[in-house]
Amino acid sequence: MKKRKSGLTFWQKIVKDRTLILMCIPAILFFFLFSYMPLPGVYAAFVKFNYRDGIFGSKFIGLDNFKFLVTSGELFNLTKNTILYNLAFILLGNLLAVFVAILLNELRSKMFKKVSQTVLFLPYFISQVLVGLLVFNLLNFDTGFVNSILAGLGRERWQPYSDPGVWPVLLVIIYLWQQTGYNSVVYFASIMGIDGEMMEAAKVDGANGFQRIRYIILPSLKPTIVILLLFALGGIVKGNFGLFYNIVGTNPILYPTTDIIETYVYRASMVSFNFSTASAVGLYQSIIGFVIVMTVNWIVKKIEPDYSLF
């Protein structure tokens, strides 16, 4: 067998790195079983599916299933809402997560740091149903906490459930409240991986806290930030159904600013479920997400090749 430049054959490398390979096997199996094996099922988006004949035995109807979104006249608004919300979630979410991770790193009291991490992490485990109930109890017109305070102060009651314009801000705030603690964990772990000697050397040279953050911590986090952003962009057309449905519900007044692809498809499916139509919507989202990831990755590769996915 021909040896590589490193002097080790392919099988020798396998033996040498066997521990790392064994650690990767669960992830490899997961993606193989749940991402690659279901790929032939994409064909369901192009057939009139019926359970008796199965996916490949059903009648081929081409792009007719995609007319569900196109002919509804809602495709542009749904796609716009979904992408804009996800952009806000991704950009503001990562920015706030980095900020929180840096603040946690600067805390000197270990006990206070642990308590802060726990408090920030807890909202992530709260059910979206409970979050929706909490928001309703805060904002509803008759007995909501906010309106009770306004009424007690002699002010006019606020009607958020009749005002579509306020919900983009409210939904982003709610998302950040629930997800920031969880998202900051990765960045905090990256900060913990920074060479301590480099930080000590910066202190000895007279660098203050802001200078250490600017010239050491942020540059060290740059690869992690770019990679996580690239991964997040892959799902930019897939909305957070649990968040939107449990908080907004089926209030048609708010649809212009809160309706996303998932909530629209859910309402349409409740009338008459169509497996093929749902597959067509999923394929539409996946194709747009793939194009966005490839485009952004190409841009990143041109600017900083070391930070690109491939």
Side-chain angles (χ1 to χ4, degrees), residues 32-62:
F32 177 75
L33 292 174
F34 297 103
S35 296
Y36 290 97
M37 286 189 67
L39 278 178
V42 170
Y43 183 69
F46 305 96
V47 301
K48 187 176 182 180
F49 178 77
N50 66 75
Y51 291 93
R52 183 180 60 185
D53 297 329
I55 294 176
F56 298 102
S58 299
K59 181 183 177 182
F60 180 80
I61 57 174

Side-chain angles (χ1 to χ4, degrees), residues 20 40 98 109 119 166 190 200 224 246 271 275 279 295 303 306 310:
L20 293 175
V98 170
S109 172
V119 171
V166 302
S190 297
E200 292 299 326
T224 304
N246 286 294
V271 178
F275 185 82
S279 300
T295 303
I303 299 173
D306 293 337
F310 46 84

Side-chain angles (χ1 to χ4, degrees), residues 76-265:
F76 175 77
N77 188 58
L78 293 171
T79 305
K80 180 196 70 174
N81 285 347
T82 307
I83 291 177
L84 289 179
Y85 273 115
N86 280 329
L87 275 177
F89 293 161
I90 293 169
L91 297 178
L92 295 178
N94 280 278
L95 182 65
L96 191 57
V98 170
F99 178 71
V100 168
I102 292 174
L103 287 183
L104 289 173
N105 181 64
E106 294 300 311
L107 293 176
R108 292 292 170 260
S109 172
K110 291 185 178 179
M111 178 62 69
F112 186 71
K113 184 183 293 188
K114 290 180 180 179
V115 172
S116 301
Q117 284 181 288
T118 303
V119 171
L120 289 169
F121 208 83
L122 280 177
Y124 178 77
F125 296 101
I126 300 176
S127 166
Q128 298 282 15
V129 177
L130 292 179
V131 173
L133 182 63
L134 174 64
V135 172
F136 181 77
N137 285 329
L138 285 172
L139 301 180
N140 81 81
F141 182 79
D142 296 319
T143 59
F145 178 74
V146 173
N147 279 314
S148 296
I149 293 177
L150 291 175
L153 295 173
R155 305 292 296 274
E156 185 179 353
R157 288 178 178 265
W158 183 34
Q159 302 185 53
Y161 287 97
S162 300
D163 184 5
V166 302
W167 284 96
V169 176
L170 290 176
L171 287 168
V172 170
I173 291 173
I174 294 166
Y175 175 87
L176 294 177
W177 167 76
Q178 191 171 25
Q179 300 290 331
T180 297
Y182 177 82
N183 292 339
S184 66
V185 171
V186 177
Y187 295 114
F188 185 68
S190 297
I191 294 173
M192 292 293 98
I194 297 174
D195 189 358
E197 294 182 358
M198 187 174 6
M199 300 291 285
E200 292 299 326
K203 289 181 181 179
V204 171
D205 290 339
N208 58 35
F210 289 105
Q211 290 172 327
R212 292 196 301 272
I213 291 170
R214 180 180 177 183
Y215 295 108
I216 299 177
I217 294 178
L218 289 179
S220 299
L221 289 178
K222 189 177 177 181
T224 304
I225 294 171
V226 173
I227 290 173
L228 290 179
L229 284 175
L230 285 171
F231 283 145
L233 288 172
I236 198 170
V237 195
K238 297 183 179 180
N240 190 330
F241 174 79
L243 175 70
F244 284 83
Y245 184 75
N246 286 294
I247 293 177
V248 177
T250 55
N251 185 348
I253 299 174
L254 305 181
Y255 287 165
T257 59
T258 63
D259 209 13
I260 59 174
I261 294 174
E262 273 76 5
T263 53
Y264 177 79
V265 172

